[in-house]
Amino acid sequence: MQAKHSNPPDGGYGWVVVVSAFMVMGLTAAILKTFGLFFVEIQQHFDELASTTSWITSVTIAIFHLGAPAASSLCVRYTHRAVVITGGLLAFSGMALGFLGLNMVWMYATTGFLQGLGIAFSWTPAVSIVSHYFSKKRALANAVASAGECAFAFTFGPFFQWLISQYGWKGALLIIGGIQLNICVCGLLMRPLASSCLLEASHSETETPPGNGATRMDKEDKSPITHKTFNWMLVRRPEFILYAIFGILAAMSFFVPPLFLVPLSYSLGIDESWTASLLSILATVDFAGRLLCGWYANLHITKTVHLLTMTITLISTSLMLLPLANNYLSLAIFTGFYGFFFGTTVAVHITVLADVVGMPDFDSALGLFMLIRSTGGFMGPPLAGLIVDMAGDYRAGFYMAGATLVLSAGFLVTLDQFQQRKERGSQTNSKQEKSTLPYPSLHLLKLQ
């Protein structure tokens, strides 16, 4: 019976999990993306500087990344369902308490810290459990789940603006917090799935000879559950380090274009209404890129790490070309190219991580990857801002982002070469073992 379920189901109830993860992406990452709509309202209410107010979002992003290892560790110890439900309650608490709006420090602690922790505890296990439920269709499932961020971000902008105009920024926070309680419902739908490696191990033990094999089977069946822990030793694996460095460099670039796209548009003399449409174009093509790349990756025509290398190269090319735009039409075209290829990258980069470390260590790897990648997200915008200040032109930020992505693609190529050498080495060793196996048996026959 166990043999039938030793592999991920690759469908069935797994698609319910994907839809739940789709909703979680929208109720976490999409809200974080559109929280800038509250910026001016909060700044004017407390009469604070823009730099002081911006720390609310900075704290949220920081805790989101720093809380990922804790979320992954709790998933390993308990279940993804429990952690997602906890995340939903934390996210609601952050927004509901932010409704009180006592002072700026209070906002840092509520809509900053609690909201960031809620996002970490919701987003991380939602991404993780999708990869546990799928193997052959993992890329497609991850793409569909991640598309929730784009779909919700597209609608949240005007919806949040309407909430603020009707109920004020405080009332809007409370309503959004209530909406985020739906994360708990999504968590309830994320039915725990036994690890495939655990089931395979127990299945192999059922084939042991009678006698003391049954006792050994009982011990092996229990030990993976009671002693499974967060694997911090992944930082010693060269392939994980190479992929983590890629993540740092990629994160340094990914946060830059959305930051300077609007100022670049203004510098070209484009009207504000047309500039706003660029963000809609970005969200739409991002959504399309995720779904199309997920579908293509599901065909298994191209190795996922090769596909990721290609998408990163195409993103860097589009970023290098984007500063050449001199009017709205050309800027919209290059923005569309960037958004589409960004979506393709997001669709497969989690799948590549699973391929690099394997599913037994995926939960730990996802938390560590998020933690390490956060350094790039923190360094990228300030570095790009410094380069823009030195050059006196917003185009310089896009050139910096494109160059950094080219460098990150180099680490993907190195990772692929390392994995290929490792595979060739294991194949050579297995052939040598097979070639030496008959000789001892022949020697024993002679002795007899």
Side-chain angles (χ1 to χ4, degrees), residues 49-315:
L49 297 172
S51 57
T52 304
T53 309
S54 65
W55 273 104
I56 298 175
T57 304
S58 298
V59 171
T60 308
I61 295 173
I63 299 302
F64 169 35
H65 285 87
L66 295 176
S72 294
S73 181
L74 290 171
C75 288
V76 170
R77 186 172 180 84
Y78 301 105
T79 64
H80 296 79
R81 170 186 283 172
V83 181
V84 171
I85 293 173
T86 303
L89 293 174
L90 286 169
F92 162 73
S93 300
M95 288 297 193
L97 292 173
F99 161 78
L100 299 177
L102 301 181
N103 50 51
M104 192 59 71
V105 175
W106 179 262
M107 300 304 295
Y108 297 157
T110 55
T111 55
F113 181 84
L114 284 178
Q115 181 67 201
L117 198 61
I119 293 175
F121 278 38
S122 304
W123 186 93
T124 309
V127 169
S128 175
I129 195 170
V130 169
S131 293
H132 280 285
Y133 262 89
F134 289 85
S135 178
K136 294 180 181 179
K137 299 178 181 177
R138 184 175 295 149
L140 178 62
N142 279 323
V144 173
S146 69
E149 176 184 338
C150 306
F152 278 72
F154 187 80
T155 56
F156 274 172
F159 177 57
F160 286 1
Q161 195 68 61
W162 178 81
L163 285 178
I164 293 171
S165 64
Q166 294 294 315
Y167 305 101
W169 69 269
K170 290 185 178 182
L173 285 182
L174 185 61
I175 294 172
I176 294 170
I179 294 173
Q180 283 187 303
L181 279 175
N182 287 288
I183 294 173
C184 299
V185 179
C186 296
L188 286 171
L189 294 173
M190 293 178 179
R191 190 167 64 198
L193 179 68
S195 171
S196 59
C197 62
L198 168 60
L199 291 170
E200 287 170 358
S202 61
H203 173 59
S204 64
E205 292 297 335
T206 59
E207 298 174 351
T208 57
N212 61 357
T215 305
R216 185 174 60 181
M217 181 188 69
D218 293 338
K219 292 179 180 178
E220 293 292 334
D221 276 347
K222 292 177 182 177
S223 61
I225 299 176
T226 56
H227 298 293
K228 191 178 179 184
T229 57
F230 191 88
N231 186 8
W232 293 97
M233 292 300 102
L234 284 170
V235 295
R236 295 185 178 182
R237 291 173 58 174
E239 58 268 35
F240 177 75
I241 292 299
L242 287 170
Y243 196 69
I245 295 174
F246 153 75
I248 293 172
L249 294 172
M252 287 180 65
S253 305
F254 288 160
F255 288 94
V256 173
L259 186 65
F260 293 118
L261 181 60
V262 172
L264 176 63
S265 176
Y266 288 158
S267 69
L268 295 175
I270 298 173
D271 187 73
E272 290 184 9
S273 59
W274 287 104
T275 299
S277 68
L278 292 174
L279 301 178
S280 298
I281 293 172
L282 197 62
T284 303
V285 295
D286 184 356
F287 182 84
R290 296 185 194 215
L291 294 183
L292 286 175
C293 188
W295 167 80
Y296 178 79
N298 190 57
L299 299 177
H300 301 287
I301 298 174
T302 307
K303 193 177 178 181
T304 52
V305 68
H306 294 167
L307 184 59
L308 181 59
T309 305
M310 287 189 289
T311 61
I312 288 293
T313 304
L314 290 169
I315 291 179

